[in-house]
Amino acid sequence: MTNEQLNSGNPRVDIEYRRKKNAEEMRHQVISFALMIFLTLIAFVAVAYEEFSGWFVVPFILLLAGVQVIFQLFYFMHMSHKGHEAPKLFMYAGMVVAFVTILCYTTIIWW
Amino acid sequence: MSTIAQKKGFGATLWDYLTTVDHKKIAHLYLIAGGFFFLVGGLEALFIRIQLLKPNNDFVSAGFFNEILTMHGTTMIFLAAMPLVFAFMNAIMPLQIGARDVAFPFLNALGFWLFLFGGIFLNLSWFMGGAPDAGWTSYASLSITSEGHGIDFYALGLQIAGLGTLIGGINFLVTIINMRAPGMTYMRMPMFTWTTFIVSALILFAFPPLTVGLFLMTFDRMFGANFFDAAMGGNTIIWEHFFWIFGHPEVYILILPAFGIFSEIFAIFSRKRLFGYSSMVFATVLIGFLGFMVWAHHMFTTGLGPIANSIFAVATMAIAVPTGIKIFNWLFTMWGGSIRFTTPMLWAIAFIPSFIMGGVTGVMLGSASQDYQYHDTYFVVAHFHYVIVGGVVFALFAGAHLYWPKMFGTMLNEFLGKITFVLFFVGFHMTFFIQHFLGLWGMPRRVFTYLPGQGFETSNVISSIGAFLMAAGVIVLLVNVVITSVKNEKVGNDPWEDGRTLEWALPSPPPYYNFKQLPLVRGLDAYWLEKMDGKKGMTPAEPIGDIHMPNNSFIPFTISLGLFIAAFGAMFHGDEGNTWGVPVLIFGLLFTLGSMFVRSIKDDHGYHIPKKELLDDKDLGGKA
Ligand code: HEM
Ligand SMILES: [Cu+2]
């Protein structure tokens, strides 16, 4: 990672490999896009269906939202690729800090 | 563009600094602005000590005392210590990792101007109806009922300045992750770069809670919200939590760069590799992590309950472990080294016992049941001045002497430097040591006066005399700066002769593109390794080629100016019969957004320094 130059020498390096990689990438994106639409539909159905109580629907939707975030990060923002270790580390660290904060607020301020 | 130094007129120089995106010039700006606020904060401190010189003093009124006290703390933390630390980070860190600039030069400038406008805004409160007066912590029940606009200045000013700091922190993170020279692995980074890295991460996570807290405060005070008003269903404790979730990491944001500077100094002037480098890195990371788990030790007496208090007490004491690791490593670095007692080294050596005393009182305060006795007395005042002055301010002085040649190309006078040190060191201990006892005897913190016959008189006199000694030390430093600048004797690459890291391989000050050819780093203390192999400079890692440079820009200034204007609108719009507030608020925000818009649609690809020009330039390093 040290100091990568923007225009790396030869443009035709491993073009075959890149093409294959891109095709695979595309497939992942289409699949996860379809899944995300599907999850969104489920969320709408859950709200529209009157038998479910709010105590079920709200956590359920939040769960779906969490899944969507993961899809978004890993497939559309390429977090699964190499070279994203630092952003990942910082996101996890941020989640830990946020989690501790919320835990603390819920336990010692609000209850 | 020519690289040949030309004598420029005052106007041209001023414009250059207003538009610069060069990390070295931004470092100058931070140093000057931070230094100015340091003097302002120091003046406020002297007023405090004059007022407390004798019982029942009426040098200032009670209300004015609160304003001075609040502004002293706020100024010193946010407008003096932070920017001065940023000055050294900007000046040195990119050189240490072998980069030509930070990752986002434009944002770097933006960060500075936001800080400066925030700072100016805060200090304008003196002339516009009174400064904030609820302490630098601005606890909510007090601050939402504070009369006038003081607290509004606090909330808005810190919001703007804090935005600048956040931007700066992110910028340093990206720089260190992406722009290290070939061979500069993480575990070869100099200690100061490591601490800059961790501190930037702390900034990234600690400033958002402050931002949120300040926004809630802003809305409570200026837009009729009730987040902190218990009578309206709000909760005043939330402010304290937000403030300290930010506030405790903030004290580590200040002290870690100080640790970094001292680590460099100990290695340079003991002529030895830093002892236990990897454990130093580990300790730094651990301190950064634990720093987020301890904030409630500032709130033991608010009634969190025994379980919460115990958890936070244990976590707090755990921080002493990595800090201890560091202290031992510094001692072992000196052990067996051939020590030179230069001015920076004197500060570094004095730092160890001073800081340990602050750490010990910290652990005392961290034990929750004891804290019920100490809390809100002068004991706490003594504690945090021992860590902040004995740690951070000592490091800033040490760093100023150490890096002055790298930043300005001249050496500060060593003799005057040592006088500064002696005056300040003696003054510091005189002022604050006795305050431990004042606290134990029961003198409360943040009182504007005390009664005679309580046994506080002599100690307060001693404390005040010490403050004047510190002021004398600072004045000697200013004289030193003036003399050095007038004499203007330029020095070479490595004026301390024992420089170990990359910055000492460059001319002082470095050319505006830093490295003609990026250096090849072969280990920790890269420059020292080359020197030991009998080489004059670094081995280049690339052939000489065109260098891409960013263009100067005035837009960071205008973006910040817009927010500055908007802040006035936000503050005054609620006043009786005020008609211009809302338009000014909107105008200011549009001004900022407009500037950002111009920035995004204007194509600015920077420029290239042609290879030929670099080859012609003889007086620069990088000849392999
Ligand atoms: C071993 C390390 C440390 C421990 C255990 C510690 C512990 C504490 C505790 C428990 C308090 C709250 C006292 C009270 O209000 O009753 C406190 C206050 C404070 N500490 Fe430390 N501390 C440590 C290091 C530091 C460092 C390194 C700094 C800054 C560079 C620092 C700056 C402060 C400040 C500014 C306050 C006062 C805040 C205020 O109320 O205005 N501390 N410390
Ligand atoms: Cu703390």
Side-chain angles (χ1 to χ4, degrees):
Chain A
M1 285 262 331
T2 37
N3 230 62
E4 278 168 342
Q5 300 300 318
L6 284 179
N7 35 2
S8 78
N10 188 345
R12 290 199 290 171
V13 184
D14 53 39
I15 200 151
E16 266 317 296
Y17 173 75
R18 282 230 295 269
R19 185 170 295 150
K20 203 164 117 234
K21 202 82 189 139
N22 283 347
E24 195 179 323
E25 187 84 340
M26 192 63 194
R27 213 176 61 237
H28 282 299
Q29 292 202 343
V30 172
I31 293 174
S32 51
F33 186 64
L35 271 175
M36 285 167 91
I37 300 271
F38 181 63
L39 291 182
T40 313
L41 283 179
I42 295 185
F44 272 103
V45 172
V47 175
Y49 194 63
E50 296 187 356
E51 304 286 290
F52 295 152
S53 87
W55 286 105
F56 168 74
V57 173
V58 173
F60 180 67
I61 293 184
L62 286 178
L63 181 78
L64 293 184
V67 176
Q68 299 249 20
V69 168
I70 295 171
F71 273 136
Q72 172 74 19
L73 286 174
F74 277 86
Y75 290 106
F76 291 103
M77 298 175 78
H78 306 290
M79 227 172 69
S80 49
H81 287 197
K82 258 177 84 154
H84 287 65
E85 292 80 10
K88 260 195 226 166
L89 176 70
F90 277 91
M91 287 184 59
Y92 295 146
M95 285 175 203
V96 170
V97 173
F99 176 74
V100 172
T101 307
I102 293 170
L103 182 73
C104 213
Y105 276 36
T106 46
T107 50
I108 65 182
I109 308 183
W110 292 321
W111 271 292
Chain B
M1 274 306 267
S2 163
T3 51
I4 300 158
Q6 288 153 338
K7 214 94 209 104
K8 271 189 285 190
F10 175 74
T13 312
L14 183 69
W15 181 248
D16 189 30
Y17 271 97
L18 284 176
T19 59
T20 188
V21 294
D22 178 351
H23 72 99
K24 297 177 290 298
K25 288 193 176 145
I26 292 174
H28 293 173
L29 291 173
Y30 269 118
L31 191 73
I32 294 166
F36 171 75
F37 284 123
F38 182 72
L39 296 181
V40 173
L43 215 57
E44 286 153 3
L46 288 181
F47 290 157
I48 296 175
R49 282 320 316 170
I50 295 175
Q51 166 66 17
L52 294 176
L53 188 61
K54 56 176 207 231
N56 277 331
N57 201 357
D58 57 358
F59 177 68
V60 293
S61 69
F64 193 51
F65 183 87
N66 289 349
E67 293 177 21
I68 300 176
L69 184 89
T70 301
M71 284 302 280
H72 164 68
T74 314
T75 304
M76 282 302 194
I77 298 265
F78 292 100
L79 309 180
M82 288 289 293
L84 287 173
V85 161
F86 265 51
F88 293 122
M89 291 181 181
N90 258 310
I92 303 302
M93 181 275 286
L95 305 181
Q96 280 194 333
I97 61 171
R100 294 211 168 96
D101 203 327
V102 292
F104 307 115
F106 179 91
L107 286 188
N108 203 11
L110 180 60
F112 170 76
W113 291 110
L114 284 170
F115 141 69
L116 186 67
F117 276 110
I120 293 174
F121 185 80
L122 194 54
N123 274 282
L124 282 179
S125 61
W126 289 117
F127 312 104
M128 302 179 70
D133 57 358
W136 83 285
T137 51
S138 209
Y139 276 11
S141 345
L142 189 57
S143 55
I144 48 177
T145 49
S146 167
E147 306 270 318
H149 283 300
I151 305 295
D152 306 343
F153 276 107
Y154 174 97
L156 295 166
L158 287 190
Q159 191 67 271
I160 297 173
L163 195 58
T165 310
L166 188 57
I167 289 177
I170 294 173
N171 201 351
F172 289 146
L173 279 178
V174 180
T175 307
I176 295 177
I177 293 175
N178 289 318
M179 295 180 59
R180 283 166 290 129
M184 174 70 75
T185 58
Y186 278 109
M187 288 314 273
R188 287 179 183 174
M189 292 195 318
M191 217 39 226
F192 181 63
T193 299
W194 255 111
T195 53
T196 304
F197 185 55
I198 301 298
V199 160
S200 307
L202 292 190
I203 290 177
L204 178 64
F205 296 131
F207 270 72
L210 178 70
T211 307
V212 172
L214 288 173
F215 261 122
L216 300 186
M217 175 76 78
T218 307
F219 276 87
D220 263 18
R221 282 194 54 105
M222 284 160 258
F223 299 94
N226 296 298
F227 294 109
F228 302 129
D229 187 352
M232 306 293 286
N235 189 333
T236 178
I237 297 296
I238 293 178
W239 165 265
E240 292 185 32
H241 278 286
F242 273 130
F243 188 86
W244 287 118
I245 290 176
F246 148 78
H248 190 84
E250 166 71 10
V251 304
Y252 283 100
I253 290 168
L254 294 177
I255 199 67
L256 287 179
F259 288 173
I261 291 176
F262 285 132
S263 301
E264 302 289 331
I265 292 175
F266 281 120
I268 292 177
F269 296 110
S270 305
R271 296 205 188 88
K272 260 178 78 189
R273 195 188 136 121
L274 186 68
F275 186 91
Y277 169 80
S278 32
S279 69
M280 281 298 227
V281 171
F282 170 73
T284 311
V285 177
L286 195 61
I287 292 178
F289 179 75
L290 287 178
F292 276 97
M293 309 291 153
V294 299
W295 77 88
H297 65 210
H298 296 272
M299 303 167 59
F300 283 148
T301 57
T302 40
L304 305 177
I307 296 176
N309 272 7
S310 317
I311 294 174
F312 280 102
V314 172
T316 301
M317 288 182 225
I319 294 200
V321 177
T323 317
I325 295 179
K326 283 180 161 274
I327 302 268
F328 282 111
N329 280 330
W330 290 319
L331 293 177
F332 286 132
T333 305
M334 286 191 284
W335 186 293
S338 71
I339 299 180
R340 282 168 61 203
F341 290 95
T342 55
T343 309
M345 189 62 170
L346 289 181
W347 286 108
I349 292 172
F351 147 80
I352 290 189
S354 310
F355 185 79
I356 289 180
M357 290 174 64
V360 169
T361 50
V363 176
M364 292 168 73
L365 291 167
S367 128
S369 45
Q370 285 187 69
D371 187 59
Y372 273 84
Q373 307 301 316
Y374 306 137
H375 183 68
D376 265 344
T377 70
Y378 258 81
F379 191 84
V380 176
V381 179
H383 157 68
F384 68 73
H385 282 93
Y386 261 82
V387 276
I388 292 184
V389 182
V392 184
V393 178
F394 278 23
L396 293 174
F397 280 119
H401 287 88
L402 178 70
Y403 290 126
W404 197 267
K406 207 34 80 186
M407 290 177 79
F408 299 100
T410 55
M411 276 293 243
L412 287 175
N413 181 304
E414 276 287 285
F415 178 70
L416 288 178
K418 285 173 186 165
I419 295 190
T420 303
F421 167 73
V422 172
L423 285 173
F424 198 91
F425 180 75
V426 174
F428 160 65
H429 282 281
M430 227 173 129
T431 309
F432 296 113
F433 186 70
I434 195 77
Q435 292 186 357
H436 292 110
F437 296 95
L438 275 173
L440 296 178
W441 296 330
M443 178 159 161
R445 163 183 189 192
R446 292 177 174 165
V447 284
F448 87 104
T449 193
Y450 51 94
L451 294 175
Q454 295 184 317
F456 298 154
E457 287 97 333
T458 328
S459 315
N460 272 303
V461 172
I462 295 175
S463 188
S464 296
I465 296 174
F468 280 93
L469 283 181
M470 283 195 272
V474 174
I475 291 172
V476 174
L477 176 65
L478 291 180
V479 171
N480 195 350
V481 167
V482 172
I483 292 180
T484 309
S485 315
V486 172
K487 270 204 205 142
N488 202 15
E489 287 166 13
K490 295 291 179 196
V491 294
N493 290 9
D494 187 9
W496 298 103
E497 287 159 18
D498 296 311
R500 310 177 70 83
T501 39
L502 276 180
E503 74 268 31
W504 305 109
L506 292 171
S508 313
Y512 60 98
Y513 46 80
N514 293 356
F515 294 90
K516 187 186 285 187
Q517 295 160 286
L518 292 182
L520 181 68
V521 176
R522 297 194 296 132
L524 180 65
D525 292 338
Y527 183 46
W528 182 261
L529 288 181
E530 304 294 331
K531 282 200 284 191
M532 289 300 107
D533 284 355
K535 299 209 193 95
K536 276 262 182 53
M538 300 302 299
T539 313
E542 58 174 12
I544 293 191
D546 294 358
I547 296 180
H548 182 222
M549 297 293 288
N551 280 327
N552 281 2
S553 168
F554 191 53
I555 296 180
F557 186 94
T558 56
I559 293 180
S560 315
L561 181 65
L563 288 182
F564 179 76
I565 297 171
F568 281 106
M571 189 163 57
F572 288 112
H573 89 275
D575 281 6
E576 204 72 50
N578 181 299
T579 47
W580 53 266
V582 175
V584 167
L585 174 62
I586 292 171
F587 171 78
L589 290 178
L590 285 181
F591 196 77
T592 294
L593 289 175
S595 306
M596 289 162 69
F597 184 69
V598 172
R599 160 79 182 165
S600 4
I601 56 162
K602 209 175 84 178
D603 270 336
D604 183 355
H605 298 301
Y607 64 98
H608 282 87
I609 313 173
K611 181 173 164 186
K612 188 166 161 307
E613 196 170 318
L614 292 167
L615 286 169
D616 291 345
D617 234 351
K618 281 180 292 296
D619 59 340
L620 300 171
K623 41 200 171 259

